Amino acid sequence: MPSSSRHPDLPTVRDRVVVVTGAARGIGRATAARFAEAGARVLVGDLDTEAAREAALAIGAAVGDPGRVRAVHVDVTDRASYAALVAEAEAWGPVEVLVNNAGIMPLGLLLEQGEASIDTTIAVNLRAVVTGTRLVAPGMVERGRGHVVNVASAVGRVGLAGGAVYSASKFGVVGFSEAALGELAPHGVHVSCVLPTVVATELAAGVHATRGMRPCTPEEVADTVLDVVRRPRFETWVPGYAKALFHTSNALPRRARDLLSHALGADATLTHVDTGARADYERRAGR
C-alpha cells in the first residue's frame, strides 16, 4: 500500500495539520492513523468525545509521539462546533488537509423513512461537507495550497433502492466537490472524492457486497485517502476495479443495466440487509 518510504518523490504531509471528521472509528480512525504514521499532526474530530480520545491516544502511542494526535469534540451539523474544531486546528498550524469523513447511513424504504432520519442524513452527509469546506478553504486559498478530501460512496454514483436519501446525500457530495474543485483549483486548492463500495465497518453492518466484490477494509480506504493527497486527482473508487464496472454498466441501455444489476445482486444490496445486525447502529444513526 502507499507509504512515504515508497513514494519519496511525492508531496510530504510531515508536520502538516490534518483534520479528520468522524475519526473515532472505522474509516476515519484508520485515516487519522495513516496520516499520523506519515508524520502529520492530526486532529481526530468526532461527536463521541470519549471514543475520539481513545482513538487519539492509541494512534499517538502507535506512532511513538502522543503529542502528534489530538482529539476534538465536533458536531458537524452545528456550524459553530465545526468552526471551533477548525479554530483549534489553526491554533496548531494552518490546516493543510481536511478529510470530510463523518457520515451516517440509515437504511429503509423511502416511504418508510422518518423525517428526522432524512434531515439528519442530509445534514451530516452533505451539509457538513459544505460547511467544512467553506471553513477551511479561505485560508487555503490565501496560502495558495491545501486539499479537501470528501469521503463519498459508490452509491454517490449508483443509486440503490433502500438507500434513496443516503444515495442522494452522497450524489450531492460528488456534485458539490466537482463544482468546488472548479472554483478552488485555480487558487492551488485540490478537492477530491473517495468512493468506497461496502466497507467492513459498523456503518455497513448487515449489508452484503454485490456478487464478485468483497467488502473493503477501513485501512484500504485510508491508504487511498493518503495517496490522493500525495497524488491529487478528483475521483477514486475503492476498490479501484469498481469504477470500471460502474462505467461499463453506465454505458448500457437502462434495461440492460437493470438486468446486470439484478444478476450481480446490486439491486437488493440495501433492501435485503440483516436488520438484526444493524439494529444498534440504526438506533444511534437515527438520532
Side-chain angles (χ1 to χ4, degrees), residues 103-126:
I104 59 173
M105 189 174 73
L107 297 179
L109 299 178
L110 174 62
L111 299 185
E112 297 176 2
Q113 190 169 1
E115 294 295 328
S117 175
I118 291 170
D119 291 344
T120 303
T121 299
I122 294 172
V124 174
N125 293 358
L126 177 56

Side-chain angles (χ1 to χ4, degrees), residues 158-199:
V158 184
L160 296 179
V165 175
Y166 176 73
S167 185
S169 70
K170 294 300 187 177
F171 263 80
V173 169
V174 175
F176 167 77
S177 301
E178 190 163 18
L181 174 64
E183 294 183 21
L184 298 175
H187 303 283
V189 180
H190 298 287
V191 181
S192 300
C193 278
V194 172
L195 284 70
T197 56
V198 175
V199 184

Side-chain angles (χ1 to χ4, degrees), residues 17 19 26 32 49 57 81 134 152 158 213 217 226 274:
V17 175
V19 175
T49 308
L57 286 171
S81 179
R134 282 170 52 85
V158 184
M213 283 193 183
T217 67
L226 179 58
D274 183 340

Side-chain angles (χ1 to χ4, degrees), residues 66-130:
R68 187 172 291 280
V69 188
R70 298 180 183 176
V72 183
H73 168 83
V74 63
D75 179 350
V76 295
T77 68
D78 182 335
R79 189 186 186 284
S81 179
Y82 209 143
L85 168 67
V86 172
E88 184 159 347
E90 289 178 339
W92 205 6
V95 176
E96 301 278 4
V97 178
L98 169 65
V99 182
N100 276 312
N101 168 72
I104 59 173
M105 189 174 73
L107 297 179
L109 299 178
L110 174 62
L111 299 185
E112 297 176 2
Q113 190 169 1
E115 294 295 328
S117 175
I118 291 170
D119 291 344
T120 303
T121 299
I122 294 172
V124 174
N125 293 358
L126 177 56
R127 185 62 178 90
V129 170
V130 177

Side-chain angles (χ1 to χ4, degrees), residues 95-277:
V95 176
E96 301 278 4
V97 178
L98 169 65
V99 182
N100 276 312
N101 168 72
I104 59 173
M105 189 174 73
L107 297 179
L109 299 178
L110 174 62
L111 299 185
E112 297 176 2
Q113 190 169 1
E115 294 295 328
S117 175
I118 291 170
D119 291 344
T120 303
T121 299
I122 294 172
V124 174
N125 293 358
L126 177 56
R127 185 62 178 90
V129 170
V130 177
T131 299
T133 303
R134 282 170 52 85
L135 286 169
V136 301
M140 292 179 175
V141 167
E142 183 178 354
R143 293 187 299 275
R145 68 178 187 275
H147 202 140
V148 177
V149 181
N150 297 323
V151 179
S153 168
V155 299
R157 289 291 194 190
V158 184
L160 296 179
V165 175
Y166 176 73
S167 185
S169 70
K170 294 300 187 177
F171 263 80
V173 169
V174 175
F176 167 77
S177 301
E178 190 163 18
L181 174 64
E183 294 183 21
L184 298 175
H187 303 283
V189 180
H190 298 287
V191 181
S192 300
C193 278
V194 172
L195 284 70
T197 56
V198 175
V199 184
T201 66
E202 185 186 29
L203 181 142
V207 176
H208 304 288
T210 59
R211 294 187 186 97
M213 283 193 183
R214 59 168 178 79
C216 49
T217 67
E219 290 73 23
E220 287 176 289
V221 182
D223 285 330
T224 300
V225 172
L226 179 58
D227 194 52
V228 162
V229 170
R230 287 172 164 159
R231 295 186 289 188
R233 57 224 188 242
F234 174 67
E235 181 179 315
T236 306
W237 291 57
V238 188
Y241 62 80
K243 183 176 183 178
L245 181 60
F246 160 70
H247 283 294
T248 300
S249 172
N250 214 39
L252 298 173
R254 185 79 213 189
R255 174 64 177 164
R257 196 187 319 169
D258 290 345
L259 289 172
L260 177 61
S261 178
H262 182 70
L264 294 175
D267 58 348
T269 297
L270 300 185
T271 54
H272 291 60
V273 300
D274 183 340
T275 54

